[in-house]
Amino acid sequence: MLSPVEKFLLSLLIFLNLTTLSAQKVGVVLSGGGASGVAHVGVLKALEENNIPIDYIAGTSMGALVGGMYAMGYSPNEIEEILTSADFQKWVFGKQDDRYVYYFRERAENSSWIGLKFKIDSTFQTKLPTNIISPINLDFAFMERTSAVSAAANYNFDSLFVPYRAVAADIHNKKEVVFNKGDLGQAMRASTTYPFFFKPIVVDDKLLFDGGLYNNFPADVMYRDFLPDVIIGSTVASEMAPPEEDDIFSQIKNMLMERTLYNEVCETASMIIIRPQNAKISILDFSKNDEVIQNGYNSTLERMPEIYKMVSRIQDSTSLIEKRQKFRAQLKPMIIDDIQISGLTKNQTSYVNGVLGKKKFPVDLSELRPYYFRLAFDDRIKKIYPLAVYDSSDQHFRLKLQMKLDKDLFAQFGGLFSSRPINTGFVSLRYNRISRIGMSLDANAYFGKFYGSLQVKGTFDFPFKTPFLIEGDFTTNNFDYFTSASTFFEDIKPSYLIQYDRYFSGGLSLPLGNHGRIRTGLTGARVFDDYYQTSNFSTADTADRTNFNHGSGWLTIERNTLNKKFYANSGSNFILRIKYFAGQEYNIPGSTSLVKDEFAAIHDFFRARIIYDTYFNKRGRFKAGFYGEAVVSNQPFFNNYTATLMEAAIFSPVPESKTLFLPQYRAHNFIAAGLKTVTSFTNRLDLRIEGYIFQPHKEILQNEFLAAYYGKPFEKRYFMASAVLVYHTPITPIAISLNYYDRVKNPFSIIFTMGYLIFNKRAID
């Protein structure tokens, strides 16, 4: 039996041991490493499941992102859910969320491949872009998810769910920057700014980049700031490979980044380093996040016996959940009571407020979100960085937007290369200006044997409560079906046909939700058709000419969510266009015409066209699509069969068919439909198989006097099909297609194309 003195000494020893155990603190350090850093989530998950306490957390780059989310009070499972979501993919790749695409301000599609921006009031200077991924989604996500947390911690990182440090790089002073206070989203964003992929941000007048440049494993920061008893490190950073001769990124990486040292950085703390083993994953390959997280989890479980030897303190899971809930309960709702804009003039600020649809304050951030993205993805805006600052006096947030306009002039280049003589070059120039209203002046030109065009267009953007655009343009088009003919279609009649048009058009455009718009306006046009009505002509002959000088009023309703301007494979497009024409036809017979007298007639008619193009949900590698089109019109015959066909509505769903004069696919009234399948072998390589049926109400036929007449209702129908292997390069699609056209001598054609077969709108369309 113990004496009273022995009992006292034993009790004192137990008390001292318990005090020592309870005082033991554990810090977790997470390295940078791009997409491989997602493994840190698995590390945190394994530590929590095994009741290992996490008292402090510090990270660099991806480690700062994962560590910051943990410090915000997210559980490892919640972090995993975020990092494996479709939203996260959009953040890191800069893809615009379909929910916030504002089709109302979308430019007309053209054949551009690349663009170049420069200022009108400066000497021309070549500047490489500072980033290849748009930061718009990422910046908003950081602001939206971290602002309330920063406010709850009173902008002190020691007051977060767990105390936190993030490391960024100040490349001007060539040193690391450690964030221990301020806006949490800014700290995480700065630390994850990998050079050339993401745009750097300015914090306290310092341009900051990825912290991995100077400190990729901030164990020294952890020890210096928190003095933990145990440091558990997770690193996915591999040894830096030597620079390669043909790889500029490897060269820059070796010039800028310091090699990570994993030796002991502290005197009194024990340290264990976990090295999740991942297959070679590129910096932005976030397609395997589930697998990478599991690797981090498994690697931590393997080291758990060693961790238990170092960490004698156990974290009770129930108290951890309660602590997390208590911290998250402090977060204030994101209610905005003011918007402050910097970097713009007073008039430009007025325009921005109009686009934001400035409402009566206070307003929930979720109500501002769609308007914010309308503004952020405006091609006249170069930079927008959001920061929400909490005002404790009224318990609301002020939204601060740091903005910069893009350069005045924007040039684009592109076109089409083809195995048929339809090669076309494209160039455009746009001048942008924002004051109280937005203004754009555009000029573009297409030039080639088959197609040539010139267009000058002005757009005025009024950002009122109900925004609207006023547009006006002058356009000329020239289609030469004769010089673009190929031996595949030598039997198509007429063999010589050239069509010109020039017109002035003005209109008003209104939004119809996020993805639609309504446009209405007036057009004045002159159309010139030169053609022979026989294949027997010589260079000494003169062609027939039909002029159609007319005015028209039109109304168009559109809704478009297609993901690509050419060879789309998801989304849908709906167009309803109603147009009324009134004008004069004037025919001048050529030397081969059976009729020698000139002819004139007044025509007025309407045409309504509806198009629906859609793709259904993907099943594995396969996706199905549907295309439907219908035209209803009371359009009369023109003076002869060819002139009538030239002004009739055209069905041309296959790209190559737009370059051919195919009489069987032209009619005044028709319905047409088709099915499409898209097999995606990779993200860029698709095999498309499409088949269509064209049903004219009454086919337009030719009598012995070369005049037009109608066939019997629904007497004939025609088929069209296409099989296309298309590779979507970063700048333009490359395709080889096999096409079928019904009831021609040689119905099959093979064509190779690189680029876009897109035209300026025709006067008759």
Side-chain angles (χ1 to χ4, degrees):
M1 185 173 228
L2 296 176
S3 67
V5 174
E6 289 173 327
K7 289 180 180 179
F8 173 77
L9 292 175
L10 179 61
S11 299
L12 180 62
L13 180 63
I14 293 172
F15 173 77
L16 291 174
N17 282 336
L18 288 173
T19 303
T20 302
L21 289 175
S22 64
Q24 186 186 49
K25 296 296 183 181
V26 178
V28 173
V29 178
L30 307 176
S31 77
S36 296
V38 177
H40 299 322
V41 182
V43 174
L44 297 177
K45 182 190 289 189
L47 293 176
E48 278 208 358
E49 287 183 2
N50 286 273
N51 302 112
I52 302 299
I54 300 174
D55 299 296
Y56 316 107
I57 197 161
T60 292
S61 192
M62 196 65 195
L65 175 63
V66 174
M69 295 176 76
Y70 189 86
M72 292 166 60
Y74 286 115
S75 70
N77 287 333
E78 289 172 324
I79 299 173
E80 179 177 12
E81 184 179 345
I82 292 170
L83 298 189
T84 55
S85 68
D87 282 342
F88 180 73
Q89 298 290 327
K90 292 171 184 174
W91 299 346
V92 296
F93 292 114
K95 294 182 179 179
Q96 190 173 4
D97 192 316
D98 290 341
R99 292 171 296 177
Y100 305 123
V101 173
Y102 198 38
Y103 185 64
F104 167 62
R105 288 193 174 93
E106 289 287 309
R107 309 281 181 175
E109 293 174 347
N110 60 41
S111 293
S112 63
W113 296 8
I114 58 174
L116 175 68
K117 296 178 180 180
F118 52 96
K119 287 189 72 65
I120 196 171
D121 58 353
S122 66
T123 55
F124 180 81
Q125 293 180 336
T126 300
K127 291 185 179 180
L128 293 174
T130 58
N131 59 293
I132 60 176
I133 294 174
S134 169
I136 292 172
N137 293 326
L138 196 63
D139 289 343
F140 190 86
F142 275 131
M143 182 273 295
E144 185 177 31
R145 290 175 176 266
T146 67
S147 295
V149 177
S150 298
N154 199 26
Y155 299 96
N156 182 349
F157 291 1
D158 289 344
S159 300
L160 293 167
F161 171 68
V162 296
Y164 167 73
R165 296 294 184 267
V167 179
D170 175 1
I171 63 171
H172 176 69
N173 294 303
K174 296 180 174 54
K175 66 178 184 180
E176 68 179 39
V177 174
V178 178
F179 284 93
N180 58 18
K181 62 182 179 179
D183 184 84
L184 179 62
Q186 272 193 334
M188 295 165 66
R189 170 69 165 82
S191 185
T192 55
T193 303
Y194 196 85
F196 302 105
F197 285 94
F198 297 105
K199 192 178 188 69
I201 66 170
V202 176
V203 181
D204 296 331
D205 298 323
K206 297 184 182 71
L207 189 67
L208 301 183
F209 283 90
D210 192 297
L213 294 176
Y214 299 136
N215 190 346
N216 203 38
F217 184 71
D220 56 335
V221 174
M222 169 63 70
Y223 182 70
R224 183 178 66 242
D225 281 24
F226 299 120
L227 201 64
D229 301 289
V230 177
I231 294 177
I232 300 173
S234 173
T235 179
V236 295
S238 57
E239 289 298 321
M240 193 182 304
E244 298 179 18
E245 181 180 0
D246 299 320
D247 186 349
I248 188 172
F249 287 109
S250 72
Q251 297 168 21
I252 294 172
K253 186 176 180 180
N254 273 263
M255 284 189 285
L256 295 179
M257 293 190 70
E258 304 243 351
R259 282 167 173 75
T260 303
L261 301 177
Y262 296 103
N263 57 311
E264 295 290 336
V265 296
C266 48
E267 298 176 358
T268 61
S270 302
M271 182 163 67
I272 184 171
I273 298 177
I274 301 164
R275 300 176 186 272
Q277 298 300 310
N278 297 307
K280 190 173 182 180
I281 295 176
S282 64
I283 292 172
L284 293 177
D285 183 9
F286 291 97
S287 63
K288 303 174 182 176
N289 283 1
D290 290 306
E291 176 186 334
V292 173
I293 291 172
Q294 188 63 41
N295 288 340
Y297 181 83
N298 294 339
S299 298
T300 307
L301 291 183
E302 291 173 4
R303 306 293 299 276
M304 197 55 65
E306 299 173 65
I307 296 173
Y308 276 136
K309 289 181 180 179
M310 297 172 60
V311 181
S312 51
R313 175 173 147 242
I314 298 301
Q315 171 69 63
D316 177 64
S317 58
T318 302
S319 63
L320 179 64
I321 293 172
E322 291 174 352
K323 178 186 175 184
R324 187 168 275 133
Q325 291 174 341
K326 183 178 179 180
F327 179 79
R328 301 291 294 179
Q330 302 176 68
L331 305 187
K332 305 294 184 182
M334 289 294 293
I335 304 298
I336 308 298
D337 69 355
D338 189 27
I339 299 176
Q340 299 175 356
I341 297 167
S342 61
L344 304 182
T345 67
K346 181 179 179 180
N347 285 343
Q348 291 164 349
T349 299
S350 176
Y351 173 85
V352 168
N353 284 329
V355 175
L356 288 173
K358 199 167 183 180
K359 305 176 185 301
K360 291 182 178 179
F361 292 115
V363 62
D364 193 279
L365 180 65
S366 61
E367 294 183 45
L368 286 175
R369 187 188 296 116
Y371 299 95
Y372 175 86
F373 284 111
R374 290 178 187 181
L375 175 67
F377 282 100
D378 189 317
D379 61 9
R380 293 165 293 197
I381 304 297
K382 181 177 183 178
K383 170 191 170 182
I384 179 168
Y385 183 78
L387 190 67
V389 179
Y390 184 67
D391 186 344
S392 57
S393 63
D394 60 11
Q395 298 187 339
H396 292 155
F397 289 84
R398 294 192 309 274
L399 180 59
K400 297 183 176 182
L401 301 180
Q402 301 170 22
M403 298 190 64
K404 184 184 294 185
L405 298 185
D406 214 333
K407 296 180 179 179
D408 306 302
L409 293 178
F410 180 45
Q412 293 179 305
F413 307 91
L416 178 78
F417 292 103
S418 172
S419 57
R420 279 191 53 224
I422 55 174
N423 298 317
T424 308
F426 172 81
V427 61
S428 74
L429 186 66
R430 178 184 307 140
Y431 170 72
N432 289 323
R433 185 173 183 272
I434 288 180
S435 185
R436 286 189 176 274
I437 65 171
M439 182 185 73
S440 296
L441 298 177
D442 295 83
N444 71 53
Y446 291 84
F447 41 92
K449 282 187 175 182
F450 166 67
Y451 178 62
S453 180
L454 175 67
Q455 183 179 81
V456 180
K457 182 176 182 179
T459 303
F460 300 90
D461 180 353
F462 295 84
F464 298 158
K465 185 175 181 180
T466 300
F468 63 91
L469 304 178
I470 293 178
E471 302 169 293
D473 67 277
F474 170 74
T475 306
T476 67
N477 290 304
N478 176 25
F479 294 87
D480 189 339
Y481 294 93
F482 178 64
T483 58
S484 67
S486 75
T487 55
F488 288 108
F489 308 104
E490 60 185 3
D491 63 317
I492 292 177
K493 302 296 185 296
S495 56
Y496 179 94
L497 193 149
I498 300 175
Q499 186 173 46
Y500 312 84
D501 67 49
R502 62 178 69 117
Y503 64 86
F504 289 94
S505 185
L508 174 71
S509 182
L510 297 167
L512 189 63
N514 260 20
H515 300 294
R517 62 188 175 193
I518 301 175
R519 302 176 66 234
T520 185
L522 300 172
T523 299
R526 300 188 70 184
V527 178
F528 309 89
D529 299 333
D530 290 346
Y531 52 90
Y532 289 105
Q533 299 185 68
T534 175
S535 58
N536 299 316
F537 59 88
S538 67
T539 55
D541 286 316
T542 58
D544 293 14
R545 165 166 283 196
T546 295
N547 297 343
F548 182 41
N549 302 327
H550 65 273
S552 61
W554 45 269
L555 172 70
T556 301
I557 300 174
E558 306 170 80
R559 187 183 187 280
N560 191 356
T561 62
L562 294 179
N563 65 330
K564 302 177 190 297
K565 64 181 179 181
F566 216 62
Y567 295 124
N569 52 29
S570 70
S572 64
N573 186 25
F574 171 84
I575 301 173
L576 172 62
R577 183 178 299 123
I578 302 172
K579 199 166 186 178
Y580 174 78
F581 299 85
Q584 182 183 54
E585 173 196 6
Y586 186 66
N587 179 257
I588 305 172
S591 59
T592 63
S593 178
L594 298 180
V595 179
K596 302 302 180 182
D597 296 329
E598 295 183 1
F599 173 83
I602 301 296
H603 300 300
D604 63 283
F605 57 93
F606 79 91
R607 179 187 293 171
R609 184 192 296 261
I610 187 169
I611 297 172
Y612 183 57
D613 185 8
T614 189
Y615 294 88
F616 307 114
N617 291 334
K618 186 175 182 179
R619 293 179 177 270
R621 294 180 179 270
F622 301 96
K623 182 174 288 187
F626 170 80
Y627 182 92
E629 185 173 352
V631 170
V632 176
S633 176
N634 64 344
Q635 185 172 343
F637 293 135
F638 277 49
N639 184 47
N640 58 61
Y641 168 75
T642 303
T644 300
L645 281 181
M646 287 303 299
E647 307 308 325
I650 310 168
F651 178 67
S652 54
V654 172
E656 188 198 33
S657 66
K658 301 178 190 297
T659 70
L660 302 171
F661 186 78
L662 301 170
Q664 66 271 40
Y665 300 105
R666 291 174 176 247
H668 289 155
N669 296 273
F670 68 79
I671 56 173
L675 296 176
K676 301 178 282 188
T677 63
V678 181
T679 304
S680 297
F681 300 110
T682 68
N683 289 336
R684 295 188 180 275
L685 184 63
D686 291 341
L687 174 63
R688 306 173 62 92
I689 298 177
E690 309 173 20
Y692 304 92
I693 182 170
F694 174 77
Q695 177 64 72
H697 173 227
K698 294 179 181 179
E699 188 175 14
I700 300 174
L701 302 174
Q702 183 180 29
N703 64 22
E704 64 272 23
F705 302 108
L706 306 183
Y709 73 98
Y710 285 131
K712 295 179 180 179
F714 304 108
E715 182 179 19
K716 291 183 180 178
R717 61 207 54 85
Y718 296 90
F719 298 92
M720 187 184 298
S722 178
V724 187
L725 187 65
V726 55
Y727 181 74
H728 300 277
T729 76
I731 60 172
T732 194
I734 299 174
I736 184 167
S737 60
L738 172 66
N739 302 313
Y740 170 80
Y741 305 102
D742 204 2
R743 303 185 198 183
V744 296
K745 183 177 180 181
N746 296 309
F748 292 98
S749 74
I750 297 177
I751 182 173
F752 168 84
T753 59
M754 177 178 178
Y756 300 99
L757 194 60
I758 297 175
F759 310 134
N760 286 326
K761 190 177 293 294
R762 302 186 191 215
I764 198 68
D765 288 341

